[in-house]
Every structure is written in structure tokens, then in C-alpha cells.
Amino acid sequence: MFSLLFLFLLIAITLVAISFVYENEVKDYMIQQLNKNLKTKVIVNGKDIKLTLLKSFPYASLDFKNVIMLEEPISISKSNKNGTVNYLNQDTLFSLNSISLQFNIFDILHKKYIVKKVSAENGKLKLRIGSDGSQNWNVWKESSDTTSASEESSFNLQKLYLKNISLKYFDFKNRSDVLCEIKSGTLGGAFSNKQYDLSIKGDLFVNHFKLDSINYLANKPIKIDFSLQVDNEKKQYQFSDGFLNIADLKISVAGKYISNNKSDYVDIFLKGKDMDIQSVLSLLPEKYHKYISDFDSDGEFYCNTHISGKIDEVNSPEIKADFGITKATITQSSSGIELKDVHILGNYFSSSVSSKQFIDLKTFSASLANGKISGSIRMDNFSTPNISASLQGNLLLEDVRHLLKIDSIWNYPIESLTGSVKANMEYKGKLNKNGKYKRSDFENMILSGEMFLENAGLKIKNSTLAFDSINGSFVLENNNVAVNSFSGRTSKSDFKLKGGLKDVLAFSFSDDADINVEASFQSNNLDLNEFLLNQKESSKKDTVYKVHFSPRLNFILNSDIGHLAFRKFDAKNIRGTFQLRNQKLIGDPISFSTMDGTITASGMIDNSSDSTLIITCDSKLNKLNISKLFNQLEDFHQSMITSDNLKGIVTADVQFASVWKSDLTVDANKIYVRSNMTIDKGELLHYEPMKNLSRFVELSELNDIKFSTLQNQIEVKDQKIFIPKMNLESSAMNVTLSGTHSFKNEIDYHFKVLLSDLLSKKARKAKKENDEFGVVEDDKEGKTSLFISMTGTVDSPVIKYDKQGAKQNLKANIVQEKQTLKQILKEEFGLFKKDTTLKKKNNPKDDGKFIIKWDEDEKKNKDKKEDDDF
């Protein structure tokens, strides 16, 4: 034991002695050889160079501290406003805290200093390739020996050890950028030879790996184990039995790489087997991570890739890849939805030579807890993608909602979506990368197939409107959809639709396409309050409605509605055609039962100005309950005569025009009504103007005035009701009445009162009062007539005798020029100013028809003579 210890001690002393004796000689020789063989400059302090024989025994080691070495200058191209500028650039090749040159100890005794190993630790290494393919690490002068280095050569490098080295690699020629940390690495080979075998082993951490500014690898551990045949003369590197481990992925590498001044050439085979899907997805470029961040996966992935072709500023290598996924489970984290038993088989191709790119998922299939999906998809030309796809599926709508993130696409947040969808469809068309489309993009698109909705339901957040029992059968044909059946209901309404929808996809995905619907519509009950209610502004105390017609929606609906309700309005058996075009909703003709009678009508709601509605209507009322008429139409938004004041049966021709705000508040200044009406079995109840005649008739008789028939033409304009002369034969008295009544209850009535013997008892008793009125006349039949005017307001009337001059003035006021609706809309609402047919102020001939077709000339009619005033 003592002898062995003594031997070790003796060897150590001997090695120290040798190093002491030969240190300066070795240092001088090695520095001389470095200066002789290196093309660039090495910066090191002589005090930081030491020879040791113990550190790397059985090799002697010449250690350098704090070494800096310049690179071989490379060519760099930069573009500016004057063009492309080429210039030589020189930077630092490496800066190391420690580098050791190792050679055989026994060679020192023979004064042969042949470096066979190099070890470098703790530093930075910068490798660069210039725009012309020049390499900054080409710092060693070429050997004249074409086979191997001679034993007397200063360098016969066989091993290179790296530890804790930060490596930067930038290729100006091929636009690649790598930054990694070499934890440990070994390169072995006869580096000074022109042909040699090279082994590479390393443990690295890649910060980024970029091609054309796209980061393909970020923050991943990598292990390398390559064997290469290097031919420096041909600049060729032949790979064999190479393995690349990225994270948990093991990829075999084989092939070759050839470098030259004009363009590099690569022919590499990559093969991955039994790889973890999540690890594979993590290798996708960062810009795609947002699309997969919500998904976790578990399963097997395989991929075989062949990369071949030129690499330069113009060309990229051709890439062919076959890949597949088997027995996989993909889970959406946000919803917990699982796609189980996922199978995918596909291939990828890219070539700069043929300018061809595609990814083809030949088959894919997956199962959900309550459904299945399968199909295929191919994408060609990634810059402006062409898609060919087929899809077969039976899925829950709630699963579709979460998987496709429909809430983020649709403007209305969904509270719940139920039911299922079945689909079998095929699609061919272009896909815009920016997601913006024009109608023309869909002209060459091909879509075919069928889709079925079963027991679907939809509830929008912050809304009382909810749909359920939605079922539908649809046939897809290019940009159109044939609706074989579509039905559903809300809490108060139901609907059935059958017909066609044109330009559906263009309408859904572009801003310049309209959707056109032509269908039959049926409903047993339709409550418009549900659909027109403004959910955002309505409260428990105040109900606010919102009417807006989309300028991109056009339809023709042949409608059959059993019952319809809106606010107080109620109708049954509604038949008619409704058209929406250019934000104008037209019903022509329409018929329905309401208010104990029937109505036929033609009308229009014009929403071409988004803030207002122009509502026009030409209708025939047949035997309506007049009290219900006023009640359901909310007393026509006036208070002077209401549903509480009237009873009877009305038959009338009514022309109506008005301007409303989109929240259904009416502009009282812009209401026009003209009505030729007949009221049978009428009663006038508690009407204030009639009560004011109490000095002639008992007040109790005036509270409830009954009349058998009343005929007249009533006109409403300028917030006034114009009443031409009419004879009212009632239970209280016989009277001829005309005048005006404003919406503010300002009145201007003119009466011609006929008092019979039975009804004039009070008048005879009040002879003195009658004398105050002036003229009392008897007609030929001996009936007493009084001319009376009533002005002022309903609450404070002024009653006096109506003299002859007043009667002439009354006649001038009552004889109104009859106009068609088109003329009225011009004069009253400022519309149709450019219509030359409306410039003349002569009395138009009127056939009583309400014109709603604005582009037709007004029909000429014979003048109708006005009745004489009394």
C-alpha cells in the first residue's frame, strides 16, 4: 500500500517537474503554431496560459483563460433606398472563460506537440453564414495533405468538448436564426482532414429556432446523437444513424447536406414513431398556439418526412410528409368536451419549384359522449387557400357551440343551446386568410348536402326571448338553402317555414351580399311583443320596442297566421303576402278578422331611414266593433274621443299615413287619416262637446246619445280632426254637425240643431235663453232650427250664435282639397319633392284609392262635388 502511494507521488512529482521544465517551450510552440495555422486573431494574456499534466491525464493540457477569437469576415447584403449594398463584416467568433488544448504527455518528451483534443467551457459562440454562403468559423488554414494529418503536424484534432456554451447561429443566406444553450456536447473526428467521420453528441436547450421570422421551436430541450461522413472538399455531410430528441419526441435522421456558394442542397429523411400528440402540437410555431391553447390531447402520433432540394434566397426545399394519429383523446379545457377514439390519416407537401402546397387529411373520425363526426379535408395553396372537405356528423348543438366557439363569432351571447344536428355535406371553395369575403368569392363555390335540426332550443343572454322545439330539414346547394321544413316555438308563439334561402353563405361571411327568402309562413299564434321588445331598454315599469329592418334582408312570405297580437291589437285568420325589400315591408293584399269584423288592406312600413318609420295603409273595414277598434289601436294616440265614448258597428274605407320613431312612438304632427265611414247602431257616451248643449236637452239624454246610422268622411291632419257636414239623427236630438277638433282638445264645432216638439221642452221653457242666440227659424215642416258655434277647448267651451258670415267661413274651411296619399306625403312630410306629377295645385281627381306604389302616376278621377254647407 505504501509502495503504491509512493509510486503515485513519484509520478505526480515527475509530471509537475516536466510541466515546469517544458511549459515555456510548449507555450511558445503552440502560440507559434496557432499563429501559423489560424486565419484570424486570438486575444489572450500570456499570464493566462498554463501547462498542466495532471488535469487531463494521460493527456497534457495547455489551458487558456479569458480567450477571445475573431471570426473569418463574411459578406452581408442590406437593402436601402439606393438598392442593395454588400459589405464584409467581422465580429467575435467566440469568447470563452476556459479553453484547453490537449496532447499526449509522452510526445512532450520527444518534443512533438500534436493537439488531439480541445475542451471549451463557460462562454459564447457565434456562428454565422454570410449572404454569399461564406462561413465565419472557417478560420483554420487548409492542410496540404488530402488524406490525413501527419504525425508531425501541430493539430490533429479528434475531439471537441463543449460545456455551458451559449450558441448563436444566424444564416443570412437562408434566413435562419438559432439561439440555444449547450449544456454539454462532444464532437469527434479528424477535423484537419478533408474527409473524415464525425460524431456529434449534445445536450442542448433551444431558446428559438426561426426560419423567415417564424419561430418553429421555442424553449425546448434537445438531445443530439449523430454520425456523419464529412467531405470538406465537396462540402458534403452524410447523415447515418442519427437521432434527434426534442422534448419527449424521438426522431431518426438520415440523408445528406451539401453546401456551396450559390445554393445549398439538402436530402434528409426524418422519421418519428409512437410520439406524444401534446408534445408534437407544442412544436407548432407560436402564432398557432392560440388555436390549440384550449385543448389537451393524449394519444399516438407518427410522421415520416422527406426534405429535399435547393436552399437559397429564391428556393426552399421540397417537403413531403405522411402523418397520422391513432387512439387519441382530445379534450377542450374550457368546456370539458372530449373527442375520443380520434383517428387521423394525412399527408403534407410543399414545393417552391412547383409553387404547390397542400395538407390533406384523407380521413378523420372521432366520437363524443353523444355523437360522432367523420370526414376529410384538403387545403391547397396556403396564401389563398382552396378547401375541399366532406363532413358527416351527428352532434349535440351545445358541443358544436363550444368546439367552434360560436359565441365569439355571433354578435349575441348565447345562454343555452340544446338539441342536435345531423349533417352530410361536401364543400369546395376558397378561404381568405384574413377572414374577409366579398359576394364574388362565393360565385365559384360548390356546396352540397343535407342538414337536420332535431328538438333544438336557443336562449340569448339578457333576453326573455327563448326558442324551443326547433326542427328543420335543409338541402344545401352551393350558396343557397332549400328549406323542406323549419318549425319551432317560443313561450307565446310558434312558426313553420318552407321555401328557399338564396345567398346564405355570402350573407353570413361577407358585408356586400343580401339574403333573399321566398317561403310560405304559418303560425297558429304569433305574439309580436316577444320579437319587437327592446330587451336592453325595457324595464318592469316601461316597455320599449325597437323596430329595425336589415338593409341586407329581403323576403317574400305567403303567410297564414291563426292569431296575431301586438300591444292591444288582436287579429285572427290572417292571410296575405308580406314582402321586405330595401328596408320596406309591404303587405299586399292582407285580410284578417278582428274587432268582431273583417279587414282587407294593403300597407307599407318604410324603414329606409333607420331612425324613423313611415307607415301607410289603405284598408277596408267591414262591420267592426268601433269601441274595440279605438281600444286596440290605442285611441289613435289621442284623448279627445276614446273607446269609452263610442259604441256601434263601423264599415269604412280608410287611408292612413304616419311617421314614427323606431321605438314606436308616433310623431303627432305627421299623422294623416282619411276615412269614408258608416256607423250603425251607434252610441256616443259621455262626450264633452255634446254635454255643453245641455241648455237645450236634458243632461242625462246627452250622456248617452244613440243613433241608427251615421255616414261621413273624416280627415285627420296637422294634429286636427276635420269633420265635414253630417246629419246626426239621435235619441237626444237631430243635429247637423261639422268642424275641427285638435289633439290638444281645441274645438271649432258648428251645429244646426232641429228641435222637435218632443225634444224641445227645455228649449221652449228657456225662450229667453234662445232669444240671446238670435235667429230661430222654422223649416217648412214646422221644425225649429238653431245655428250654434262652439269654440275654445273641451274644458272651457265658448258657445254662441253662428251668424251668416261665420257660416261662409265655415264652408271655406270644410271644403278641403282631396288629395292622394302621395300628394299628402309631399306636402305634409316633405317627401317626393322631385316628383313632377305633384307640382300642380289644381284639385286632383280622387277615386278614393290609397296609393302605395310610389312609382306609378296618380290615376285621374272625376271631380266629386262637395255637399253644400248649411
Side-chain angles (χ1 to χ4, degrees):
M1 182 67 180
F2 177 77
S3 299
L4 183 60
L5 180 60
F6 177 79
L7 178 61
F8 282 148
L9 180 60
L10 181 61
I11 293 173
I13 293 173
T14 302
L15 292 175
V16 171
I18 293 173
S19 65
F20 179 78
V21 172
Y22 288 94
E23 181 174 19
N24 290 332
E25 182 179 344
V26 173
K27 287 169 55 175
D28 293 340
Y29 179 81
M30 292 309 303
I31 291 174
Q32 180 185 356
Q33 291 300 313
L34 286 171
N35 290 331
K36 178 182 177 181
N37 289 281
L38 288 174
K39 297 179 182 179
T40 61
K41 185 178 180 180
V42 177
I43 302 172
V44 63
N45 193 321
K47 296 179 181 181
D48 290 331
I49 305 174
K50 294 190 179 295
L51 177 66
T52 174
L53 303 182
L54 294 175
K55 178 181 177 181
S56 304
F57 186 82
Y59 284 90
S61 177
L62 186 64
D63 295 340
F64 295 77
K65 302 291 184 182
N66 304 316
V67 183
I68 296 176
M69 184 176 183
L70 299 182
E71 67 180 359
E72 172 78 354
I74 61 172
S75 176
I76 296 178
S77 299
K78 284 194 174 181
S79 300
N80 56 35
K81 61 181 180 180
N82 297 320
T84 302
V85 178
N86 297 315
Y87 62 95
L88 288 178
N89 177 267
Q90 187 175 35
D91 201 345
T92 301
L93 178 61
F94 63 77
S95 61
L96 300 169
N97 291 349
S98 173
I99 184 171
S100 298
L101 307 180
Q102 299 175 18
F103 40 85
N104 194 301
I105 292 177
F106 299 103
D107 286 346
I108 295 178
L109 299 177
H110 298 88
K111 295 186 179 183
K112 293 181 180 180
Y113 310 119
I114 302 173
V115 177
K116 295 185 177 181
K117 296 181 180 181
V118 174
S119 175
E121 295 184 12
N122 303 321
K124 296 179 180 179
L125 176 61
K126 184 185 294 183
L127 303 179
R128 302 197 298 167
I129 296 179
S131 302
D132 60 353
S134 56
Q135 301 167 339
N136 76 332
W137 63 83
N138 189 19
V139 297
W140 197 259
K141 295 179 181 178
E142 293 184 2
S143 172
S144 59
D145 188 352
T146 59
T147 57
S148 64
S150 67
E151 289 299 318
E152 285 74 22
S153 299
S154 300
F155 290 88
N156 186 12
L157 189 62
Q158 298 175 0
K159 289 283 185 181
L160 174 61
Y161 299 97
L162 301 175
K163 185 176 181 181
N164 296 330
I165 303 297
S166 175
L167 171 63
K168 289 185 178 180
Y169 173 85
F170 197 89
D171 187 342
F172 289 96
K173 180 182 178 181
N174 299 314
R175 305 173 300 281
S176 59
D177 177 11
V178 178
L179 174 62
C180 66
E181 303 294 329
I182 303 175
K183 295 181 179 181
S184 65
T186 303
L187 286 78
F191 297 107
S192 56
N193 293 350
K194 290 187 177 181
Q195 294 91 22
Y196 63 91
D197 292 333
L198 174 65
S199 66
I200 302 175
K201 292 184 179 181
D203 188 357
L204 301 82
F205 184 85
V206 177
N207 300 96
H208 68 245
F209 177 81
K210 297 179 180 179
L211 291 175
D212 287 333
S213 300
I214 299 176
N215 192 3
Y216 287 92
L217 199 61
N219 302 320
K220 296 295 180 184
I222 292 181
K223 290 185 179 182
I224 299 174
D225 188 353
F226 285 168
S227 295
L228 295 86
Q229 291 81 48
V230 178
D231 189 334
N232 283 325
E233 192 172 46
K234 295 181 180 179
K235 295 183 179 180
Q236 177 174 303
Y237 307 89
Q238 186 81 34
F239 295 86
S240 61
D241 300 327
F243 287 95
L244 180 66
N245 285 38
I246 304 175
D248 296 326
L249 305 178
K250 188 174 182 180
I251 302 171
S252 64
V253 182
K256 63 184 176 180
Y257 186 95
I258 302 174
S259 177
N260 58 54
N261 293 332
K262 292 185 178 180
S263 62
D264 295 346
Y265 179 81
V266 64
D267 187 15
I268 302 293
F269 293 88
L270 304 175
K271 186 174 183 180
K273 185 178 180 181
D274 299 333
M275 295 186 291
D276 176 71
I277 294 177
Q278 193 67 24
S279 299
V280 173
L281 293 177
S282 69
L283 299 181
L284 290 175
E286 290 179 349
K287 67 177 184 178
Y288 298 115
H289 285 184
K290 62 182 179 180
Y291 300 111
I292 62 172
S293 59
D294 192 31
F295 294 90
D296 293 322
S297 58
D298 180 23
E300 296 179 0
F301 178 85
Y302 70 89
C303 181
N304 299 319
T305 304
H306 182 204
I307 304 172
S308 62
K310 294 180 179 181
I311 305 176
D312 53 38
E313 294 181 355
V314 177
N315 299 298
S316 297
E318 179 181 277
I319 302 174
K320 296 179 180 179
D322 297 321
F323 59 88
I325 294 175
T326 59
K327 301 177 182 179
T329 299
I330 300 176
T331 305
Q332 188 179 45
S333 303
S334 58
S335 65
I337 296 174
E338 285 188 342
L339 292 171
K340 296 182 178 180
D341 200 20
V342 178
H343 291 266
I344 296 176
L345 177 64
N347 53 56
Y348 170 85
F349 178 83
S350 175
S351 173
S352 62
V353 177
S354 62
S355 300
K356 187 176 182 181
Q357 285 179 312
F358 69 81
I359 182 169
D360 187 3
L361 302 183
K362 294 182 178 180
T363 61
F364 67 84
S365 62
S367 299
L368 287 82
N370 296 284
K372 292 183 178 181
I373 185 171
S374 62
S376 63
I377 182 169
R378 175 179 171 127
M379 180 189 295
D380 290 88
N381 189 8
F382 297 164
S383 58
T384 55
N386 285 310
I387 302 295
S388 299
S390 66
L391 175 69
Q392 301 83 40
N394 182 4
L395 301 172
L396 294 181
L397 286 170
E398 186 72 4
D399 291 343
V400 175
R401 169 197 171 190
H402 291 297
L403 288 172
L404 300 184
K405 299 185 184 295
I406 292 177
D407 294 48
S408 62
I409 300 173
W410 203 22
N411 292 327
Y412 300 96
I414 299 173
E415 182 174 307
S416 65
L417 185 63
T418 59
S420 63
V421 57
K422 291 182 180 179
N424 183 1
M425 61 183 69
E426 294 184 356
Y427 171 83
K428 290 183 179 180
K430 289 185 176 181
L431 179 68
N432 288 353
K433 292 180 67 175
N434 58 10
K436 296 181 179 180
Y437 294 89
K438 295 182 179 179
R439 188 187 184 283
S440 57
D441 294 331
F442 297 89
E443 291 178 355
N444 298 319
M445 178 210 64
I446 299 174
L447 176 67
S448 62
E450 295 178 312
M451 186 171 66
F452 304 90
L453 289 176
E454 295 183 356
N455 296 319
L458 173 65
K459 176 71 168 61
I460 305 299
K461 287 182 179 179
N462 304 318
S463 172
T464 59
L465 185 62
F467 294 88
D468 59 47
S469 301
I470 300 175
N471 293 279
S473 173
F474 311 92
V475 176
L476 312 177
E477 185 177 355
N478 297 333
N479 199 16
N480 306 323
V481 176
V483 183
N484 291 334
S485 64
F486 181 49
S487 62
R489 67 186 185 190
T490 65
S491 60
K492 298 180 180 178
S493 305
D494 62 85
F495 65 89
K496 291 181 180 179
L497 193 71
K498 183 177 181 180
L501 285 68
K502 295 182 179 180
D503 295 332
V504 176
L505 291 181
F507 171 78
S508 301
F509 295 101
S510 68
D511 296 328
D512 64 343
D514 298 346
I515 186 172
N516 296 275
V517 182
E518 186 170 349
S520 61
F521 177 82
Q522 288 183 302
S523 176
N524 294 317
N525 188 71
L526 186 61
D527 190 336
L528 294 182
N529 297 285
E530 290 184 296
F531 302 97
L532 299 181
L533 184 66
N534 189 333
Q535 303 285 350
K536 292 183 178 180
E537 300 182 16
S538 296
S539 62
K540 292 182 178 180
K541 295 182 179 180
D542 184 22
T543 300
V544 179
Y545 296 91
K546 178 71 175 180
V547 176
H548 172 72
F549 300 146
S550 170
R552 300 176 58 204
L553 173 62
N554 304 303
F555 65 68
I556 299 176
L557 296 180
N558 296 314
S559 302
D560 183 353
I561 303 172
H563 175 255
L564 181 141
F566 178 59
R567 300 207 326 198
K568 292 184 178 181
F569 180 75
D570 189 273
K572 295 180 179 179
N573 301 321
I574 301 167
R575 309 284 188 273
T577 301
F578 294 90
Q579 300 185 50
L580 178 65
R581 190 172 296 277
N582 300 323
Q583 293 182 276
K584 296 180 177 68
L585 177 62
I586 299 173
D588 184 18
I590 310 169
S591 65
F592 53 92
S593 301
T594 184
M595 310 161 198
D596 302 335
T598 59
I599 294 178
T600 58
S602 297
M604 179 176 70
I605 302 176
D606 186 344
N607 186 215
S608 54
S609 172
D610 287 340
S611 59
T612 59
L613 302 169
I614 299 177
I615 302 177
T616 58
C617 181
D618 185 358
S619 61
K620 294 183 180 295
L621 284 57
N622 183 32
K623 296 182 180 180
L624 301 189
N625 183 315
I626 194 170
S627 177
K628 291 183 178 180
L629 173 65
F630 272 70
N631 177 264
Q632 291 190 27
L633 298 184
E634 301 178 20
D635 296 321
F636 299 96
H637 297 274
Q638 50 81 41
S639 59
M640 57 273 191
I641 184 167
T642 69
S643 59
D644 295 330
N645 302 125
L646 293 170
K647 287 185 179 181
I649 305 300
V650 60
T651 298
D653 292 336
V654 179
Q655 295 173 335
F656 174 82
S658 60
V659 175
W660 303 62
K661 294 181 180 179
S662 58
D663 62 358
L664 295 185
T665 56
V666 67
D667 184 347
N669 290 312
K670 295 182 178 180
I671 297 178
Y672 178 80
V673 180
R674 185 171 68 189
S675 173
N676 294 306
M677 67 176 184
T678 299
I679 301 176
D680 294 317
K681 301 178 182 179
E683 293 186 42
L684 189 61
L685 308 173
H686 312 296
Y687 187 50
E688 291 298 328
M690 299 305 297
K691 290 183 181 180
N692 291 322
L693 297 177
S694 61
R695 59 178 67 185
F696 304 103
V697 183
E698 291 289 346
L699 184 61
S700 60
E701 295 176 331
L702 294 173
N703 276 336
D704 184 1
I705 300 176
K706 298 180 179 179
F707 50 91
S708 58
T709 301
L710 174 64
Q711 291 182 326
N712 202 3
Q713 182 183 86
I714 305 297
E715 188 175 33
V716 179
K717 62 183 293 186
D718 299 328
Q719 296 196 56
K720 288 183 180 180
I721 300 176
F722 293 87
I723 307 173
K725 185 188 72 173
M726 64 178 180
N727 296 319
L728 178 63
E729 297 179 0
S730 68
S731 58
M733 60 181 175
N734 298 331
V735 60
T736 301
L737 168 67
S738 64
T740 64
H741 194 140
S742 77
F743 289 5
K744 296 180 180 180
N745 278 333
E746 298 168 337
I747 56 177
D748 184 9
Y749 282 117
H750 301 267
F751 299 93
K752 177 181 178 182
V753 182
L754 303 176
L755 304 177
S756 66
D757 293 340
L758 178 62
L759 300 179
S760 63
K761 294 180 180 179
K762 183 174 182 180
R764 287 196 297 270
K765 292 179 180 179
K767 184 63 169 68
K768 183 178 179 180
E769 295 177 7
N770 290 339
D771 289 341
E772 294 175 0
F773 284 90
V775 179
V776 177
E777 298 181 354
D778 288 337
D779 60 14
K780 296 179 181 180
E781 297 179 359
K783 296 182 180 179
T784 305
S785 299
L786 296 177
F787 293 89
I788 304 167
S789 69
M790 183 184 299
T791 58
T793 65
V794 172
D795 296 330
S796 183
V798 177
I799 302 174
K800 61 183 180 181
Y801 169 68
D802 192 5
K803 296 182 180 180
Q804 190 67 26
K807 290 193 295 179
Q808 294 300 324
N809 185 57
L810 176 63
K811 181 177 182 180
N813 288 339
I814 293 177
V815 177
Q816 301 289 329
E817 178 185 357
K818 294 186 178 180
Q819 306 170 79
T820 66
L821 177 62
K822 195 173 183 181
Q823 183 74 36
I824 292 162
L825 291 177
K826 177 183 177 183
E827 295 182 0
E828 302 301 328
F829 302 160
L831 303 177
F832 309 104
K833 292 182 179 180
K834 296 182 181 180
D835 194 332
T836 57
T837 64
L838 302 176
K839 291 183 179 179
K840 295 183 179 181
K841 295 294 292 184
N842 296 332
N843 289 349
K845 297 179 181 180
D846 181 18
D847 64 354
K849 175 65 177 176
F850 190 77
I851 307 298
I852 64 171
K853 297 181 180 178
W854 309 123
D855 56 339
E856 295 182 1
D857 292 334
E858 300 177 66
K859 296 180 180 180
K860 296 182 179 180
N861 303 288
K862 294 182 179 181
D863 293 336
K864 184 177 181 181
K865 186 176 181 181
E866 296 283 353
D867 293 333
D868 290 336
D869 206 351
F870 57 83

